[in-house]
Amino acid sequence: MTDQDKQSVSGGHTFRKVLGFTFRHWSRQPVRVSAVALTALLGALADVFTPHYAGQLVDALAHDVSGNAAAWHAAVVAFVALTALGLAGTLMRQAAFQNIIMLTLRMMGEVATHAFHRVQRFSTDWHANSFAGSTVRKITRGMWALDLLNDTLLVALFPSLVMLVGSTALLAVQWHVMGLVVGVGSAIYLAITVSLSLFYVAPSARLANQWDTKMGGALADAVSCNPVVKAFGAEAREEARLARVIDKWDSRTRRTWRRGTFNGGVQGALLVAMQAAILGAALLLWARGLASVGDITFALTLFFLLKGYLRDVGMHVRNLQRSVNDMEELVMLDAQPLGIEDMPGAPPIVIDRGDIRFENMTFRYGALERPLYANLNLRIAPGERVGLVGHSGSGKTTLIKLIQRLYDATDGRITIDDQDIARVQQASLRSQIAIVQQEPVLFHRSLAENIAYARPGATHAEIVHAAKLASAHDFIMALPRGYDTLVGERGVKLSGGERQRVAIARAFLANAPILIFDEATSSLDSESEVLIQQAMERLMEGRTTVVVAHRLSTVRALDRLLVLERGRVAEEGTHDELVRRQNGLYRRLFERQALELTKGLADDVVLR
């Protein structure tokens, strides 16, 4: 199969998936969809019958109406019918538009809400491999494409097809030849238009959309990392990088637009051919006395209406193709597996003691043959404070992600208070685990809102109390707007130590039975580290605590240390026990850090 064939098959598959996605949403509003379809149908039927009465009016006018009551009556009837049809068509189209506004707005809201719901629940791996800007672009572009798709299918294509079928039937009743010309010509026109859109324009549009998404991702990446760009004076470099993406986007989009223009030209040529065939047939019928002047008026009026509808059909098919392409990535997002899913009917977890157990637990990343953890058996007792230490890549962060069920165990199980965490609701599990990360992420909201994120209903007094326990109250009150201060995107307006103390305040307010510190002091200055260690000591009281640390000074006072190496517990014990082990892994790590600290102090003395 050639690449073009593959693209064609993919294009047809995409149309089916996107239309199936749309019809599923239609099924949630059957009354509204029926109302739009019915009023659009009635509006199209009004147009179908308009040429018939236009022909009758011309025939009536061709007679001398003075003393000819029948001709006058026919003219009046035709006039009234034309006026009624015009008014009915206008009212029906207005009703269709009003209904489709309500239909589409509700669908767009549902689609955006559902997409956001799924994105929030995608695995951490998915988020690590996806640009936030690209994801937002997929959702917003798909939402607005749904608006165009609804308009195209319900109030554009459907009435156009009704007009084509009705016109062909009316002409065929009066002149079989004329009906045959219109029917065959319309069929050829539609077949060529649809084929060009589906197999010629759509594959190109799909590539253009992919580069549009990449351009959105590149913009978001550079803007969100602007402090790094400024730090290295790399503005011109980032502009050059974006220019390369824009060049690709430009070439793909230009090709799509050119193909769309060519498609429009082919449609125009087909309409000219149809016009010649219909007018030629009408003239022959008139010349042979088989059609009156009114009949010719009927045929010409019908053709010009038909021509407008056919031209619109070409545009509608192009819009259909464009909207399907624009919705493709949104539909793929909707079909994307969540990665970590709740079991049907999973109950919420209830954590009282915080007893964490790994029972014959095996875990491997993706399709890797060698597991990171194999048959791990481990218990963290209620209220115990446990430290995880080891070289980078030894599995420390993975272990705490497994406790949070950000990953699922490949085999065995993990329990908290004798409840298998794979069989309970994820949200209930994580709501009872407070975590302070190495690089805490804050929302671009006020400090009060960020602290209260752990408990949205917290009072201001509770927020202030949590901030005091986290040694954050003093620096917050020194800010011009205090707790109402906006912290900037991801908290960029605060220092690293300030962000950590806000994160600890948030953990205090959560009041969760299980607490995780993920290298919370690894990148702080000594003064901030002392404040945060004091806050950590207060926060750990009475809670099952897991501390991941590079700086071994932060784990010396913990109840037990687990030294990890290549996904296994190589050593365990207290700091004093482990540091006395000859040739022990922990002792080597401790001595190396002590040596680095001594060297740093000596260098500082020399510099002074």
Side-chain angles (χ1 to χ4, degrees), residues 42 57 65 76 187 263 275 307 330 365 389 430 446 448-449 489 496 505 594:
L42 293 175
L57 181 61
V65 295
V76 170
N263 189 17
Q275 176 178 316
K307 182 179 179 181
L330 174 65
Y365 281 106
V389 297
R430 293 170 193 152
S446 71
E449 287 176 291
E489 187 176 7

Side-chain angles (χ1 to χ4, degrees), residues 163-357:
M163 178 65 186
L164 294 181
V165 173
S167 300
T168 302
L170 275 180
L171 286 171
V173 167
Q174 193 157 355
W175 304 289
H176 298 313
V177 174
M178 190 76 80
L180 183 65
V181 170
V182 172
V184 172
S186 298
I188 293 173
Y189 177 86
L190 289 174
I192 293 176
T193 297
V194 171
S195 297
L196 283 173
S197 292
L198 187 60
F199 303 120
Y200 180 64
V201 181
S204 177
R206 188 174 303 112
L207 284 175
N209 280 342
Q210 289 173 3
W211 280 99
D212 180 75
T213 298
K214 290 179 181 178
M215 182 171 67
L219 281 165
D221 189 39
V223 170
S224 62
C225 295
N226 185 259
V228 179
V229 175
K230 279 185 165 53
F232 290 92
E235 289 88 349
R237 193 194 319 162
E238 288 300 317
E239 288 164 6
R241 183 174 181 274
L242 180 63
R244 290 192 294 272
V245 176
I246 290 178
D247 283 344
K248 282 285 190 181
W249 166 83
D250 179 276
S251 64
R252 297 293 185 268
T253 303
R254 187 186 308 116
R255 182 175 65 177
T256 301
W257 289 358
R258 284 178 173 172
R259 289 188 176 190
T261 301
F262 175 75
N263 189 17
V266 171
Q267 291 168 11
L270 290 171
L271 285 176
V272 171
M274 272 193 70
Q275 176 178 316
I278 291 172
L279 291 178
L283 287 173
L284 285 174
L285 289 170
W286 175 73
R288 294 177 181 179
L290 299 176
S292 66
V293 175
D295 291 335
I296 297 300
T297 302
F298 161 57
L300 291 179
T301 305
L302 191 61
F303 168 72
F304 288 121
L305 269 175
L306 191 61
K307 182 179 179 181
Y309 271 95
L310 282 172
R311 187 184 295 113
D312 287 346
V313 165
M315 180 185 69
H316 300 329
V317 170
R318 288 197 300 273
N319 285 341
L320 177 63
Q321 165 260 312
R322 189 180 76 188
S323 58
V324 166
N325 285 132
D326 286 351
M327 284 182 64
E328 180 181 2
E329 290 181 315
L330 174 65
V331 174
M332 289 172 62
L333 203 64
D334 182 72
Q336 174 81 28
L338 293 180
I340 306 295
E341 297 192 56
D342 287 339
M343 295 179 62
I349 193 170
V350 178
I351 302 177
D352 296 320
R353 297 173 294 124
D355 185 3
I356 304 172
R357 297 174 187 258

Side-chain angles (χ1 to χ4, degrees), residues 431-432 434 454-455 505-514 539 541 543:
S431 68
Q432 297 179 72
R455 185 148 53 92
R506 191 159 56 189
F508 267 114
L509 201 57
N511 196 26
I514 296 175
L539 183 55
E541 289 179 9
R543 293 180 174 87

